[in-house]
Amino acid sequence: MYRMNFYESTCFRCNQTVYQVDRVGPLKDFTFFHSGCFKCAVCGTKLTLKTYYNNQHRQEDKEVYCCSHVPKIGPGHLDGSAVGIRSALNVPRSANVVNEQIRGSGKGTFDAEALNIRPHLNGHINNSSNNNGSQQTQPYHQHHHYQYGRFDASALHIAHALRATELQKAYNKAREKPIDCYLDKDEQTQLEMKHRKEEDDLYRKFARQREEEDKRMREEFRDEWEKELERLTSRFQRELQNKKKRPDEQKVLTLRHQQEREDLEKNMTIRRDKKKESLTRKLLEHERAATAALVEKQSREMLELINEKRSEYMMAESLYLDEGDGYTEDVLLPYPSQAPIPAPPALSKFEVYNDPVEFADIDQIAISVAQEDQKTFTDLVRQLVGRCGSDIEKARTIFRWITVKNLNTMQFDENLRGDTPMGLLRGIKHGTESYHVLFKRLCSYAGLHCVVIKGYSKSAGYQPGVRFEDNRFRNSWNAVYVAGAWRFVQCNWGARHLVNAKEVPKAGSKGKSDSLRYEYDDHYFLTDPREFIYEFFPLQSEWQLLKNPITLQDFEELPFVRSLFFRYGLYFPDSNTKAVMFTDSTGAATVRIAMPAHMQSSLIFHYNLKFYDSDGDGFDGVSLKRFVMQSVVGNTVAFRVHAPCSGAFLLDIFANAVTPKEYLTGEPMKFKSVCKFKIACEELQTVMVPLPDCASGEWGPTKATRLFGLVPITHQDALVFAGRELELQFRMSRPLTDFMATLHKNGVEEKRLSKFVSHSVSDDDVVTFVISFPEEGQYGLDIYTRELGGSQSDGSSEKHLLTHCCKYLINSSKRN
C-alpha cells in the first residue's frame, strides 16, 4: 500500500526533529529549519526563501540573517574568498561602460568574468537601486565623470547570486512587461468577438435542442394520455351499460371513473416530471461537455495569438522589466509557448510563497475589479493582470476574482445577451460552464496554460471509508502552469462567503466597498500535490503530479482531512494511519496527530464521536464522547477510542488556534473540523466503561502549562495510579487566583465527592491539591483557575472568569 512519507531532519535552530510539512531547506551545507524557527539570528525577524541571507565570508556560519544583519565584509578582509565586493565601490554606474577589472586589495586583480559577478554589476548599473523604480539611473557623462554609488551584498544581491543553488534558480522572479506591450487590445477583442459568435451559435443550438426535446416529450405524453383516457372511458361505458337498471350502482361507477381519471392524470404528471428531469440532466451534461470542448478550442486559439505576439516582441526587445529581484538574464526562462507535459513541481508551495500577505496588493486589485462589471473578457482580464509582472500574480488575480465574485449567489437577468456585462458569465447561470472552465478561459486571456482535470473528490456528503463506485463524488479542478511547473487550483473550494454581509450594498445601489472583507481559502491556490491528493483523485494518474502515483484504493484509504489540517501544519506521525481505523480485541484504537513546533502553544483540539450510520451520539444514556481519551504529549495529540460495543463509529476531530489570553476570557470558541475517521469495532471481548464525566477536552497537565503557565511538579502524565490519598503539586510561573478542583466518579454525585478535595497555595507559588478517595475505583479530577486581570479605575483588580485548567484520570486502589 502507498504511504505518505515524511522524511525527518533536524532543525538547525532548535535541534528538534523537523518534518517535511514544516521544513525549510536544504539551505547552506544541507541545513534545515522549522518554518517557525526560520528567523534572523540577530533580530528574530521572520524570513522567507526570498528574504534570507547567509554569511558569505565565513563558510562555517550556517545561520540565516535578514538583509540588515547579514555579516558584511569590513576593511582588512578583502581577499579572494571575500570575492572583492568592496572593490565594486569603484565600478562606474554607467549604462555603457564597465571597468573590465575590479581592483583587489593589493593581492592581484580579479577579472569581472572570473568573479562571475559581471551580470550582477551590469544588472545593478542598468537598474534603479530600488525595485519600485523610484530612483533614476545616473547618466554616463562624456568626460567620464563617474557617479559613484554604494555597492554591498544587499544592493548587488551578490549574496543571493553566490549561493544561487538549484532551488533558487528554479523559480525565476523576473517581472514581465504587461500584455499591452506586445498585444493590441483591439486585436485580442477581435478574436474574442469571433469566439463569442461561436458561443452564441452553440447556445442557440442548445435552445433548439431543448425545445425539440420538450416538444417531443409533450407529444409523447399527450398521445399516451389520450390512449389511456380512451381505454379508461371505454371500460367505464361498458360497465355502465351493464348497470342500466340500477341507478345507485351507476353513481358508484361514475365516482370511481372520476377517481381513476384523477389518479391517471396525477401518475402521468409525476412520470412526465421525472422524465423531464432526467432528460434535462442528460441535456445539461451534453451541453457542459460541448461548452468545455469549445472553451478548450478557443483557449488554444487565444494562447496561440498571445504567444505569437509575445515571440515577435521578444525578438525585437526584452520582455522583462528592469527590476530583476536578484536573478540575472542568463537564468531567465521564457514562459513556454506549448503546454509542458504534467510532472511533479520541483518547488513546494512554501518555497514559492509562504504567506498570502505577499499578494496583498494583487488581491486588492481582484477585489476592486470584482465590484465592477465588464463587457468583454479582454477588458476583464486586462484589468486583472495589467499590473501583474509574473505568471503567479496573473493566476492569483484570476483566482481571487472568482472567489470574490461569489458566482454561486450572483443574480442574473432572465434574458442575457453575450454583449452585456453579466452576459460574460451566462454559462454560470445556465450551468453549462463551471468555475474550472471559467478559470481556464480567463487564464488563456492572460497567456497562461491551464487544464481542467476530472476525477473524484472527498466533497460534501463523503465520509471516511466510502468507496468511489459511482458518480456521486465526481468533480473537476484546474492545474495552471506557473513558477516553472504545473500547480493545482480549486476555485470552487477556495471561494468563501462575504464577511459583514449586512453591509453589502443592494443591487443597483452603491455602498462603501472598503467596509467589505472577503474570506477565501488560500490552501486551494497552488496546492502541493502531496496535500492535494488527500482530497482529489484524477482519472489520469499523471495529473496527480506525484513522483509515485497512488491507486484509487490508496486514495480511499488516505485519512479524510480538510484544508485546515494543512493550514495548521498538522501531519500523521504514524504511517499506518488510515481513513478506517480498526480496534483491537479490547475495542481500542488510537489516532495521533503531530503539530509543528510553532503551533504547539496555540492549538486546541476537540472531538466528537457518534455512530457511523446514524446521528446517535449516546450509548445506554451515556455520551459517546466519554469513550474517547484525548491527551497531548510533546508535539503529538492522541485520541484513544474505546468502543462501548461492536459496530462502526465516526470520530470527528476539530481544532482552533487561540492565544492564552483569548482562552482565558471564557468566551465560547469555534472549532472547525480538521479530519475524520471511521472507527470499526468488529468484535469486542472486553466491556468498556465510560470515562468519568469531566469537562470536555484533553486530559493531562499540558494544557495547564500551555495556557496558564502552571507547571506540574509531581505528575506529568494524564493517567495517575494512586492509593487512597493523592497529592498533586504545580508551580505558578505567573499570578493565578481562585483555584478550584472537582472530583468525579461514575455512579456518584459530584456533591458527595466535593469534601474529599482540598487545595492550598504556598508563599513560593506552589499549588497543592490533596485528594482523599472515599473508595477504590476510577476518578476524574477537574482543576479550574483564573488570572488576576488589570487594574480598574477604582484601583481594584479585574477578575477573569473561572476557566478549566486541566484534568487527570486517577485509578485509586489499596495496592498503590
Side-chain angles (χ1 to χ4, degrees):
M1 189 200 80
Y2 173 82
R3 292 174 180 171
M4 304 297 287
N5 295 318
F6 297 91
Y7 301 102
E8 297 187 9
S9 307
T10 302
C11 176
F12 179 79
R13 183 64 52 79
C14 68
N15 291 323
Q16 293 187 12
T17 299
V18 53
Y19 296 87
Q20 185 165 346
V21 72
D22 189 38
R23 189 174 72 186
V24 180
L27 303 180
K28 187 175 181 181
D29 290 348
F30 292 95
T31 54
F32 297 88
F33 292 79
H34 289 108
S35 59
C37 296
F38 195 44
K39 302 176 181 178
C40 175
V42 177
C43 65
T45 299
K46 188 173 182 180
L47 302 172
T48 70
L49 288 171
K50 302 177 185 178
T51 60
Y52 86 97
Y53 293 83
N54 285 128
N55 186 343
Q56 293 302 316
H57 69 283
R58 283 190 59 201
Q59 187 60 32
E60 65 274 18
D61 184 2
K62 302 176 184 178
E63 271 292 355
V64 290
Y65 304 87
C66 65
C67 62
S68 300
H69 295 107
V70 59
K72 297 178 175 63
I73 302 170
H77 295 283
L78 297 173
D79 55 19
S81 64
V83 301
I85 295 177
R86 192 70 174 177
S87 305
L89 287 170
N90 294 326
V91 176
R93 296 188 64 182
S94 166
N96 302 315
V97 178
V98 177
N99 192 350
E100 291 301 329
Q101 291 185 334
I102 300 178
R103 289 180 290 278
S105 55
K107 296 185 180 181
T109 59
F110 296 84
D111 182 75
E113 299 294 346
L115 287 175
N116 196 28
I117 60 174
R118 174 197 283 271
H120 308 284
L121 295 174
N122 289 340
H124 186 76
I125 294 167
N126 291 330
N127 296 346
S128 63
S129 61
N130 191 313
N131 281 347
N132 61 20
S134 60
Q135 298 183 20
Q136 302 297 321
T137 55
Q138 298 294 330
Y140 170 64
H141 299 285
Q142 291 182 345
H143 300 291
H144 302 278
H145 293 161
Y146 303 139
Q147 301 295 316
Y148 297 100
R150 174 160 181 81
F151 294 82
D152 57 17
S154 174
L156 287 174
H157 307 287
I158 294 177
H160 278 286
L162 291 175
R163 73 169 193 281
T165 61
E166 292 303 314
L167 176 74
Q168 292 161 319
K169 286 183 179 179
Y171 173 41
N172 172 12
K173 294 189 292 183
R175 299 184 63 80
E176 188 177 306
K177 292 180 181 177
I179 191 173
D180 290 339
C181 293
Y182 54 87
L183 177 57
D184 184 70
K185 178 182 176 181
D186 292 339
E187 189 170 359
Q188 188 174 22
T189 304
Q190 185 178 356
L191 179 58
E192 180 180 354
M193 293 303 102
K194 173 179 173 290
H195 289 166
R196 181 172 291 177
K197 183 179 182 305
E198 295 173 348
E199 190 175 287
D200 290 341
D201 293 341
L202 184 64
Y203 273 91
R204 280 192 287 268
K205 181 181 177 182
F206 291 161
R208 285 196 305 271
Q209 288 177 337
R210 290 190 175 229
E211 288 177 4
E212 291 170 359
E213 289 295 335
D214 185 62
K215 181 181 179 181
R216 183 186 61 80
M217 190 181 66
R218 281 190 282 107
E219 290 177 349
E220 180 181 311
F221 271 87
R222 186 184 62 216
D223 292 343
E224 185 178 354
W225 163 255
E226 290 176 352
K227 290 179 182 179
E228 289 293 326
L229 186 59
E230 183 180 357
R231 182 185 60 81
L232 195 64
T233 303
S234 297
R235 192 185 71 183
F236 169 70
Q237 289 176 348
R238 287 196 305 270
E239 292 178 345
L240 198 61
Q241 289 294 330
N242 297 332
K243 307 292 184 182
K244 278 185 176 180
K245 297 180 180 180
R246 303 186 59 178
D248 55 333
E249 291 183 358
Q250 289 181 3
K251 185 176 181 181
V252 171
L253 280 175
T254 302
L255 292 174
R256 191 183 74 181
H257 174 68
Q258 290 176 348
Q259 185 62 48
E260 287 177 345
R261 177 171 175 153
E262 290 176 3
D263 291 344
L264 175 63
E265 186 175 3
K266 181 178 179 181
N267 290 335
M268 288 200 67
T269 301
I270 293 173
R271 285 173 50 209
R272 183 193 62 196
D273 292 344
K274 286 184 177 179
K275 189 167 184 178
K276 186 176 182 179
E277 182 181 346
S278 176
L279 180 63
T280 301
R281 187 166 55 249
K282 289 179 180 179
L283 285 173
L284 185 58
E285 289 176 1
H286 168 75
E287 291 167 0
R288 284 174 176 169
T291 302
L294 180 63
V295 173
E296 174 70 30
K297 180 189 82 73
Q298 293 177 346
S299 296
R300 185 169 59 251
E301 292 174 354
M302 185 60 70
L303 279 169
E304 288 173 356
L305 173 65
I306 293 174
N307 286 329
E308 177 187 350
K309 298 302 179 181
R310 200 170 183 270
S311 298
E312 291 175 0
Y313 187 88
M314 289 180 68
M315 293 287 288
E317 54 186 297
S318 173
L319 182 69
Y320 297 100
L321 294 170
D322 295 333
E323 292 185 287
D325 195 8
Y327 295 84
T328 57
E329 290 189 17
D330 60 337
V331 298
L332 292 183
L333 295 175
Y335 193 83
S337 58
Q338 299 296 322
I341 61 172
L347 296 177
S348 68
K349 176 177 178 175
F350 178 84
E351 292 165 324
V352 174
Y353 80 97
N354 68 352
D355 194 334
V357 75
E358 297 178 31
F359 295 116
D361 294 339
I362 295 298
D363 288 356
Q364 190 55 49
I365 292 174
I367 292 172
S368 299
V369 173
Q371 296 180 35
E372 303 294 335
D373 293 334
Q374 295 78 26
K375 291 188 177 182
T376 66
F377 285 119
T378 300
D379 285 337
L380 170 61
V381 175
R382 289 192 177 221
Q383 289 177 30
L384 288 173
V385 307
R387 284 173 280 177
C388 297
S390 68
D391 49 19
I392 288 183
E393 290 181 352
K394 293 176 182 178
R396 178 72 179 192
T397 56
I398 296 171
F399 168 78
R400 291 294 284 119
W401 180 84
I402 290 178
T403 58
V404 165
K405 201 68 177 177
N406 203 2
L407 304 178
N408 286 331
T409 60
M410 185 176 293
Q411 298 295 319
F412 293 93
D413 294 331
E414 282 302 316
N415 299 310
L416 280 179
R417 301 196 320 274
D419 58 351
T420 59
M422 283 298 95
L424 287 181
L425 306 175
R426 57 183 169 174
I428 301 293
K429 167 184 167 57
H430 294 300
T432 57
E433 189 167 334
S434 64
Y435 273 48
H436 322 296
V437 173
L438 177 61
F439 183 78
K440 175 184 175 67
R441 186 200 292 268
L442 297 180
C443 280
S444 72
Y445 276 77
L448 300 177
H449 294 298
C450 181
V451 296
V452 176
I453 303 170
K454 296 182 181 296
Y456 294 103
S457 70
K458 296 179 180 179
S459 50
Y462 179 83
Q463 297 289 18
V466 171
R467 301 293 180 187
F468 295 94
E469 298 171 337
D470 50 36
N471 293 331
R472 277 187 303 161
F473 299 106
R474 291 291 292 269
N475 209 327
S476 59
W477 55 92
N478 295 108
V480 61
Y481 194 85
V482 294
W486 286 105
R487 301 179 186 279
F488 293 120
V489 174
Q490 228 301 9
C491 295
N492 204 7
W493 289 30
R496 285 294 179 264
H497 61 277
L498 189 65
V499 180
N500 298 334
K502 293 181 180 179
E503 300 178 26
V504 179
K506 295 181 180 180
S509 65
K510 293 186 178 180
K512 295 183 178 179
S513 60
D514 56 357
S515 68
L516 306 181
R517 181 168 61 87
Y518 296 89
E519 281 191 357
Y520 72 102
D521 196 336
D522 187 76
H523 173 74
Y524 295 108
F525 179 68
L526 311 187
T527 318
D528 283 332
R530 60 185 175 82
E531 296 179 356
F532 204 72
I533 194 62
Y534 276 90
E535 294 183 283
F536 299 91
F537 183 86
L539 299 179
Q540 296 174 287
S541 61
E542 62 267 27
W543 282 110
Q544 293 180 26
L545 300 182
L546 294 171
K547 292 181 180 178
N548 300 304
I550 68 173
T551 66
L552 182 59
Q553 182 180 348
D554 294 332
F555 175 64
E556 292 169 342
E557 292 179 350
L558 284 176
F560 182 27
V561 303
R562 286 313 195 192
S563 61
L564 198 63
F565 183 89
F566 297 109
R567 195 190 311 171
Y568 288 154
L570 305 177
Y571 56 95
F572 299 109
D574 299 334
S575 58
N576 61 347
T577 304
K578 299 180 182 180
V580 181
M581 300 290 288
F582 291 90
T583 63
D584 58 22
S585 59
T586 67
T590 302
V591 173
R592 292 182 178 85
I593 300 174
M595 300 171 278
H598 68 282
M599 295 297 293
Q600 291 180 34
S601 61
S602 59
L603 274 182
I604 296 180
F605 290 87
H606 194 53
Y607 65 88
N608 189 37
L609 187 70
K610 67 177 186 177
F611 287 104
Y612 186 80
D613 295 321
S614 70
D615 290 330
D617 58 0
F619 177 76
D620 285 348
V622 177
S623 171
L624 287 176
K625 291 181 181 180
R626 290 173 58 187
F627 292 92
V628 182
M629 184 171 185
Q630 174 189 339
S631 60
V632 178
V633 178
N635 73 325
T636 303
V637 56
F639 298 86
R640 186 165 180 81
V641 180
H642 286 277
C645 61
S646 59
F649 303 85
L650 183 66
L651 176 66
D652 199 348
I653 298 175
F654 306 86
N656 191 9
V658 297
T659 64
K661 184 177 180 180
E662 290 171 331
Y663 183 84
L664 291 171
T665 61
E667 294 295 326
M669 289 180 293
K670 294 182 180 180
F671 289 88
K672 292 185 178 180
S673 179
V674 292
C675 55
K676 292 182 181 181
F677 294 88
K678 180 180 181 180
I679 308 297
C681 179
E682 296 179 335
E683 60 175 343
L684 188 62
Q685 299 178 2
T686 306
V687 178
M688 297 304 302
V689 296
L691 293 169
D693 193 12
C694 292
S696 62
E698 68 185 77
W699 295 80
T702 305
K703 176 181 172 183
T705 305
R706 185 174 70 242
L707 298 176
F708 296 86
L710 200 59
V711 182
I713 298 174
T714 56
H715 296 81
Q716 283 77 30
D717 297 328
L719 181 59
V720 176
F721 294 92
R724 296 298 292 271
E725 290 192 357
L726 175 66
E727 186 177 276
L728 294 170
Q729 287 189 324
F730 297 85
R731 184 177 301 279
M732 290 187 290
S733 62
R734 61 175 185 263
L736 298 172
T737 184
D738 294 340
F739 288 94
M740 183 181 79
T742 59
L743 197 61
H744 307 271
K745 188 178 188 295
N746 289 339
V748 181
E749 290 184 8
E750 180 184 327
K751 291 181 180 179
R752 289 180 53 194
L753 297 174
S754 60
K755 62 183 178 180
F756 297 101
V757 186
S758 62
H759 73 274
S760 61
V761 181
S762 65
D763 293 337
D764 57 353
D765 293 332
V766 173
V767 185
T768 303
F769 296 90
V770 178
I771 306 101
S772 299
F773 301 101
E775 58 182 332
E776 292 182 324
Q778 188 175 74
Y779 293 83
L781 178 71
D782 279 321
I783 298 176
Y784 298 83
T785 188
R786 59 180 156 209
E787 281 192 331
L788 194 62
S791 299
Q792 300 291 311
S793 57
D794 59 359
S796 63
S797 295
E798 176 192 4
K799 284 189 177 182
H800 292 288
L801 295 174
L802 203 61
T803 310
H804 187 261
C805 177
C806 66
K807 60 181 178 178
Y808 283 94
L809 183 63
I810 306 167
N811 287 326
S812 172
S813 68
K814 295 178 181 179
R815 290 171 292 181
N816 292 323

